[in-house]
Amino acid sequence: MLSAGVKDPDVFTLFFPSSLLSALDPLKEGLPGTLEVAQSRMREQLKSNLHDSTIKVTKRLGRRILPPHILLIALTPAGEWARARATWKDAVHRFSGSHRVTPETVERTIASWERRIPREGITRVHPNELERLVDLALKSPAVVLGRALSRHWSQTFSDELIKSKTWSGIRSERYRAGRGKAATLELLSLSVTTAIG
């Protein structure tokens, strides 16, 4: 899966542990009765969080609409992105087989994504980009797991012992799963480990 998709951003997009998206909580005002209600809540929270970062939601961008993987990278704080970048390179290299995908190949792919980020950074987000982020906030495995951990095991973010046990438990699943599922579970554990430091 990873060797074939190293240049395809879809897997990266699904397994990127965005702190911006993990902070959105569809249960903040109680259990949502429908998917539309959950989306609406997360949309408003995201707009508020972007506003706090002086990012405006508008149709007037002055640039092209960005694909989700570029937008996620651009909206990620530098330190967090540095950790996620290193983890992604390691995960792709390890699970694709060193003879199939070299670290240099992964580096070139990531660098090509980074070059698509506007030089001035992100100061405006198009409504279509906002909707893609809301969709990822509900469907991305890494984001959903990160949100669940912060909700149910808040100590995980400060307690190294709990963190270690959590990731050991997730990683152990790879030995009881098929090869594709195993790689996916391991990548998920790596991505969220990066998110919590």
Side-chain angles (χ1 to χ4, degrees), residues 39-196:
Q39 290 172 324
S40 177
R41 288 179 183 178
M42 298 182 86
R43 184 180 301 112
E44 292 308 309
Q45 291 174 35
L46 181 55
K47 287 170 69 175
S48 176
N49 292 348
L50 289 173
H51 182 267
D52 290 344
S53 299
T54 66
I55 297 174
K56 183 179 180 181
V57 178
T58 176
K59 291 183 178 180
R60 297 185 177 185
L61 290 181
R63 61 167 173 80
R64 293 183 178 180
I65 291 178
L66 297 174
H69 66 295
I70 306 298
L71 193 60
L72 286 173
I73 295 171
L75 291 173
T76 300
E80 181 184 332
W81 168 237
R83 293 193 305 271
R85 192 184 199 281
T87 299
W88 180 251
K89 285 177 62 176
D90 177 65
V92 172
H93 181 60
R94 286 201 293 144
F95 293 109
S96 61
S98 58
H99 65 289
R100 303 178 70 180
V101 178
T102 66
E104 292 75 20
T105 301
V106 183
E107 173 61 34
R108 284 195 300 273
T109 299
I110 296 175
S112 72
W113 295 345
E114 292 170 326
R115 285 194 295 271
R116 296 180 63 185
I117 299 172
R119 289 184 179 180
E120 66 277 11
I122 300 295
T123 58
R124 300 180 180 187
V125 168
H126 192 277
N128 291 349
E129 294 175 329
L130 184 78
E131 290 308 308
R132 291 177 182 176
L133 292 174
V134 169
D135 190 55
L136 282 172
L138 284 167
K139 297 178 181 177
S140 161
V143 170
V144 171
L145 180 56
R147 183 183 302 122
L149 288 173
S150 67
R151 180 183 297 130
H152 300 292
W153 293 295
S154 58
Q155 293 180 42
T156 302
F157 290 83
S158 58
D159 187 329
E160 289 298 323
L161 178 62
I162 295 177
K163 182 191 298 184
S164 174
K165 289 182 180 298
T166 301
W167 304 134
S168 296
I170 293 174
R171 288 191 178 99
S172 69
E173 291 297 324
R174 71 188 302 263
Y175 299 106
R176 296 194 291 271
R179 184 171 180 176
K181 183 179 178 184
T184 300
L185 286 168
E186 181 75 2
L187 179 57
L188 180 56
S189 69
L190 282 169
S191 66
V192 181
T193 300
T194 301
I196 68 173

